[in-house]
Amino acid sequence: MSRSSEVNAKVAGATYTRAGKDYFEKRGLTRSAGIWGLWGLAVAAVISGDFSGWNFGIDFAGFGGMLIAFAILVVMYYGMIFSIGEMAAAMPHTGGAYSFARSAMGPWGGLVTGAAETIEYVATTAVIVYFSASYADAITSELLGVSLPAWVWWAILYAAFVGLNAAGAAISFRFAIVVSVISIGIIVVFSIMALASGAFQWANLWDIAPDPGQTEFLPHGVLPILFALPFAMWFFLGIEELPLAAEESHNPVRDIPRAGFWARGTLIVTGLLVLFLNTGVIGAEATGVAGEPLLDGFRAIVGDEAAAVLALLALVGLLASLQGIMFAYGRNMYSLSRAGYYPQFLSLTGKRRTPWVSLLVGAVIGFIALAILDTLAAFNEGAGAVAGAIVLNIAVWGAVLAYFLQMVSFVLLRKKLPDVERPYRSPWGIPGAVIAAAIAALIFVGFLLNPTFLPAIIAIVVVYIIILAGFALFFRHRLVLSPEEEYALSGGRHGDPQEEGYDAMEGEVFGDKR
């Protein structure tokens, strides 16, 4: 485009370029989801956390400490999801966390918050692909006698789920509902088997030997509860992606808050079932170091001979989250690209009206990260596990930062835009957002105090330096009036593409110059 004054305007410390209707026609989405499609998306994104990952918190803090960490996070996620529901209903467009922070803290705040979610979702997808490949290879090796190199499985999984997410939003939402129901069914079946077989023993919850002066409930004391919080997040990590589906929801103002409420309740129940029954079957000490705790629980009940079938069940849960989190990074990158914070080609949608370019680029980034991980493992025994932990912790660190900034945004928006239309209001209000922000900050402090998390912090700081430098030097001067930007610039008067279209403010900002 020409860089003349006729097609550019400086607003809020950034330079905006006229997009025109053709720009948004190439970046359209399709409204396909009702409340249950959104519920399925939220549950699918999270449910793999019930199958593995959460349990390492028990190794840090014991069962009692992990139970306290779980309770703390229930409070944080209630405060956060209520707050996000209010902001999403007021801003029914795809930007999600970036959109909230953009309106509250300007372009830089929007970018920092949106980039945190990009890092969270791309890293989480890579972790799920890594573990899914291990499960899939174990199944084919046992049942078919076929084993493939890890990178082949990664390529297969990324290709399959990029294809699924790119095939159409309606297909994605239906798939999310199906795999969510199946995954919940697996957890319910395990729970019934654990209780009916007598494998669950209350004493197993407390079999970690206490340190001198400590108790069975908190065998390592109080401080390790802080270190258990990032692992307890795996029971809920990803539910916050719901606002990213706003432009693909039939009624986002009504359905996103409701779907968040029902998904949160579902995940609390499944999380408690796994936390108590899985630990009670194989014991707290074994659970704290298990690579596949739910499978180990099944094995303890029915024996090793059914391991391949059980692995197939666990794979369903992993694939559910793979689809849900891939949806999230695709829409997150799409919205930031559509507004000009990322390269604009990432927001192209094509005939299926899905952000296939963002989906593909995110997959390539994740694949490269896994290849680096695999190379480290080949040259240094044990480095693969360390690299895997770094990727996992990057995901959690990105999530915690995004949570904190979204809660800050909620408080600022209540003060900055007190009279803007809010079709849904958080029942916990500002106190709920402050509590959620404080807990997120507490988890961040836990990262700083635990040296095992330091490599993840260093890696994410490097990524941020690159993103922020690119914005300062280039992208800041090429922003577009997407719905998220229109809402922020107009103080809440514009920004609903369902009602106004995608160019409601161009005449105001550019003075109708062409």
Side-chain angles (χ1 to χ4, degrees):
M1 288 185 180
S2 168
R3 300 294 297 166
S4 70
S5 60
E6 288 189 338
V7 293
N8 296 281
K10 288 189 175 181
V11 183
T15 304
Y16 288 86
T17 300
R18 183 187 290 276
K21 293 184 178 180
D22 289 345
Y23 181 86
F24 292 110
E25 286 175 358
K26 297 176 181 177
R27 290 162 173 81
L29 300 172
T30 301
R31 296 191 180 276
S32 307
I35 185 171
W36 291 113
L38 295 170
W39 169 87
L41 179 69
V43 172
V46 181
I47 199 72
S48 68
D50 288 350
F51 288 76
S52 61
W54 64 271
N55 53 297
F56 298 119
I58 291 180
D59 190 42
F60 278 103
F63 180 79
M66 188 64 175
L67 187 60
I68 293 173
F70 184 93
I72 291 172
L73 288 181
V74 167
V75 174
M76 183 186 80
Y77 275 93
Y78 263 103
M80 186 179 71
I81 297 301
F82 281 145
S83 301
I84 287 176
E86 176 176 312
M87 292 187 290
M91 298 174 240
H93 32 67
T94 301
Y98 137 66
S99 179
F100 312 150
R102 170 62 185 90
S103 292
M105 297 183 284
W108 285 96
L111 175 63
V112 170
T113 307
E117 279 205 332
T118 303
I119 293 166
E120 171 196 354
Y121 295 140
V122 171
T124 302
T125 303
V127 172
I128 297 171
V129 166
Y130 184 84
F131 288 116
S132 296
S134 298
Y135 275 106
D137 197 65
I139 293 168
T140 58
S141 297
E142 179 70 23
L143 299 181
L144 305 175
V146 176
S147 179
L148 299 174
W151 69 267
V152 175
W153 280 116
W154 303 336
I156 291 172
L157 288 166
Y158 269 121
F161 281 85
V162 167
L164 174 66
N165 276 282
I171 295 173
S172 295
F173 288 120
R174 284 197 294 268
F175 181 85
I177 293 173
V178 171
V179 292
S180 293
V181 170
I182 293 173
S183 299
I184 293 168
I186 293 168
I187 293 171
V188 170
V189 168
F190 170 79
S191 301
I192 294 172
M193 292 172 64
L195 294 172
S197 67
F200 171 81
Q201 297 294 322
W202 185 259
N204 287 345
L205 302 175
W206 324 104
D207 68 356
I208 295 178
D211 294 340
Q214 304 300 336
T215 65
E216 286 184 340
F217 187 77
L218 295 174
H220 305 309
V222 175
L223 182 60
I225 296 173
L226 200 59
F227 305 146
L229 286 171
F231 299 100
M233 281 179 63
W234 283 97
F235 285 120
F236 305 103
L237 183 70
I239 190 174
E240 73 280 359
E241 77 170 68
L242 271 177
L244 295 169
E247 290 180 42
E248 291 162 286
S249 167
H250 293 305
N251 191 339
V253 171
R254 180 195 67 190
D255 290 345
I256 287 179
R258 289 184 180 181
F261 176 83
W262 287 108
R264 185 170 60 248
T266 302
L267 294 165
I268 289 172
V269 172
T270 59
L272 285 173
L273 287 174
V274 170
L275 177 60
F276 273 91
L277 299 179
N278 201 165
T279 308
V281 168
I282 65 177
E285 185 174 12
T287 300
V289 296
E292 42 194 35
L294 196 66
L295 273 181
D296 288 346
F298 270 119
R299 291 187 184 109
I301 298 171
V302 301
D304 291 338
E305 61 275 5
V309 175
L310 299 178
L312 183 60
L313 297 179
L315 183 60
V316 173
L318 288 167
L319 296 183
S321 289
L322 178 54
Q323 188 273 335
I325 294 296
M326 185 175 285
F327 178 97
Y329 84 61
R331 271 58 180 182
N332 164 270
M333 293 172 67
Y334 161 85
S335 61
L336 285 160
S337 166
R338 183 177 64 176
Y341 292 85
Y342 292 171
Q344 292 179 359
F345 74 90
L346 293 176
S347 55
L348 294 171
T349 53
K351 294 181 180 179
R352 297 284 184 174
R353 315 303 275 175
T354 54
W356 66 272
V357 181
S358 288
L359 292 166
L360 182 60
V361 170
V364 171
I365 294 171
F367 184 90
I368 292 172
L370 291 177
I372 294 172
L373 182 154
D374 196 47
T375 301
L376 287 173
F379 283 101
N380 184 6
E381 184 178 355
V386 173
I390 290 173
V391 176
L392 187 149
N393 289 324
I394 286 173
V396 175
W397 198 93
V400 169
L401 179 59
Y403 294 172
F404 178 80
L405 292 174
Q406 285 179 90
M407 296 305 94
V408 171
S409 298
F410 178 88
V411 175
L412 291 176
L413 288 171
R414 278 284 188 99
K415 302 292 186 181
K416 183 179 178 181
L417 302 175
D419 299 322
V420 76
E421 183 180 1
R422 289 178 169 86
Y424 169 84
R425 293 182 70 89
S426 165
W428 287 14
I430 290 178
V434 171
I435 291 170
I439 295 173
L442 186 68
I443 299 172
F444 179 77
V445 171
F447 270 96
L448 296 180
L449 294 177
N450 192 331
T452 60
F453 297 148
L454 184 59
I457 295 175
I458 293 173
I460 206 168
V461 167
V462 170
V463 172
Y464 258 113
I465 290 173
I466 295 171
I467 291 175
L468 295 178
F471 183 67
L473 297 174
F474 184 81
F475 295 108
R476 180 168 59 92
H477 305 295
R478 292 164 173 80
L479 295 187
V480 172
L481 289 171
S482 66
E484 296 88 353
E485 297 296 312
E486 288 187 345
Y487 187 94
L489 292 173
S490 68
R493 289 186 298 110
H494 295 302
D496 184 351
Q498 189 173 21
E499 297 293 333
E500 302 175 332
Y502 286 89
D503 56 357
M505 277 189 66
E506 286 206 344
E508 296 178 34
V509 172
F510 297 105
D512 286 324
K513 297 177 182 178
R514 293 186 181 272

